[in-house]
Amino acid sequence: MADGEDGSAADDSWFFDSLAHLTPEPPTKRTMCDRCGRPATVCLCPFLPRQPLQVSTTVYIIQHPHEETRVLRTVPLLAACLPPDRCHVIRGKRFKRGHHPELEQMLSSPHTYVLYPSEDALDIDQVAIATNPANQDPPPYNMVIIDGTWTQARDIYTANEIFHSPKQVKLSGTGVSEYVIRTQPTDNSLSTLETAAVAMAALERRPEIKEVLFAPLRALCKFQLECGAQPHQSKEYLKSRGLYKKPFPHHHNSECREVFKKTSHNSTGEAGL
């Protein structure tokens, strides 16, 4: 601050008073796409099917409430690819019998399967062979997928008996996840979108379902990597090379560890179980 002729500080209060009367301009909001929910500059609609993908399977995503606030989720992309009546997202942690009649009715159908790697889980490819004969229209499958971290998904399944009634199915031979912008628990873990895509393609014997649903996911990862994101390796990969120091949670006993390794459809922050 400059000094006046008498050696005192110049009165600059007029300057700050003038600033007080200025009206700040509102922040400019990014234009968002109504369909994919992404900023217009990185819109994924060119990678979505022009028309919703026609499938016989109805997917029910049982989503842990914490998933709704996470960034870079894949469930919105899955919903954008399918007709509205073929993808339902149900949020919650506790589902008591008698409180969810529509959900319970769906779970009582013989064509409903819960994707969860329990001891009694059937290989989904074998289920497809047994229930969907070649050259015939597939039955109206209902596929229930729990969306959350491994711990969240396990707790939802364990605490809610209504999910124990349908047959459990599991995926096998899925390969490494293409959702490379998030750290997966194991080398065989998949995001929720990948899980649904692989499951529907297997049940309906239509490999093209997987390719159509994977397209926006691949584009999402490409955009993020081009913007500076780093590709992630799974925790299993990092642990095997001594690069991941965080131990398994204490509640993961030997049985849970084995199930954790066998799981081929869950991801950190977004598990499709």
Side-chain angles (χ1 to χ4, degrees):
M1 181 179 295
D3 291 338
E5 292 181 356
D6 60 355
S8 62
D11 185 3
D12 290 338
S13 60
W14 65 270
F15 175 73
F16 295 103
D17 289 341
S18 65
L19 292 179
H21 296 289
L22 294 177
T23 302
E25 295 183 1
T28 302
K29 294 184 178 180
R30 292 188 296 179
T31 303
M32 306 296 289
C33 174
D34 293 333
R35 185 182 181 193
C36 69
R38 298 274 296 170
T41 54
V42 286
C43 175
L44 294 175
C45 288
F47 305 95
L48 300 176
R50 291 185 178 181
Q51 298 296 328
L53 182 64
Q54 297 302 310
V55 294
S56 299
T57 305
T58 301
V59 181
Y60 291 83
I61 305 294
I62 307 300
Q63 189 174 77
H64 191 281
H66 290 175
E67 283 300 304
E68 190 175 7
T69 60
R70 295 183 183 274
V71 298
L72 301 178
R73 296 172 296 136
T74 66
V75 169
L77 293 181
L78 174 65
C81 291
L82 300 176
D85 63 344
R86 286 290 182 261
C87 185
H88 303 277
V89 180
I90 304 172
R91 296 182 180 90
K93 294 188 291 185
R94 296 295 179 266
F95 300 88
K96 295 183 179 179
R97 291 189 182 277
H99 289 232
H100 306 273
E102 293 183 1
L103 179 61
E104 291 185 53
Q105 182 178 3
M106 178 274 294
L107 292 170
S108 66
S109 168
H111 298 303
T112 295
Y113 298 92
V114 175
L115 201 54
Y116 189 84
S118 65
E119 292 184 358
D120 298 327
L122 306 172
D123 187 284
I124 199 166
D125 291 318
Q126 297 302 316
V127 171
I129 294 174
T131 61
N132 182 14
N135 301 321
Q136 293 187 20
D137 293 335
Y141 294 113
N142 296 314
M143 179 57 59
V144 179
I145 302 175
I146 304 178
D147 183 37
T149 64
W150 163 249
T151 301
Q152 292 167 349
R154 185 198 59 191
D155 289 347
I156 288 176
Y157 177 81
T158 303
N160 297 283
E161 293 185 357
I162 64 173
F163 298 128
H164 301 178
S165 299
K167 292 181 179 179
Q168 291 90 52
V169 293
K170 59 185 177 182
L171 308 180
S172 60
T174 57
V176 178
S177 171
E178 295 189 36
Y179 192 36
V180 295
I181 55 176
R182 293 280 286 273
T183 301
Q184 311 286 16
T186 71
D187 288 340
N188 294 325
S189 299
L190 301 181
S191 67
T192 304
L193 179 147
E194 291 173 301
T195 299
V198 172
M200 286 192 289
L203 282 177
E204 300 190 24
R205 298 192 181 188
R206 293 173 55 195
E208 68 273 15
I209 291 178
K210 175 181 173 182
E211 293 306 310
V212 171
L213 296 181
F214 270 46
L217 179 70
R218 290 165 179 157
L220 171 64
C221 293
K222 182 176 182 293
F223 281 143
Q224 294 301 123
L225 294 174
E226 289 176 348
C227 291
Q230 296 298 314
H232 291 215
Q233 300 288 351
S234 71
K235 293 180 182 178
E236 182 181 47
Y237 176 92
L238 296 175
K239 285 172 67 71
S240 67
R241 287 157 177 78
L243 301 175
Y244 187 80
K245 304 301 181 182
K246 186 177 179 180
F248 274 87
H250 68 277
H251 54 266
H252 280 155
N253 55 27
S254 58
E255 180 179 354
C256 289
R257 288 172 185 260
E258 187 62 26
V259 172
F260 193 89
K261 292 179 180 179
K262 291 180 179 179
T263 302
S264 60
H265 48 277
N266 76 322
S267 66
T268 300
E270 182 187 55
L273 289 179

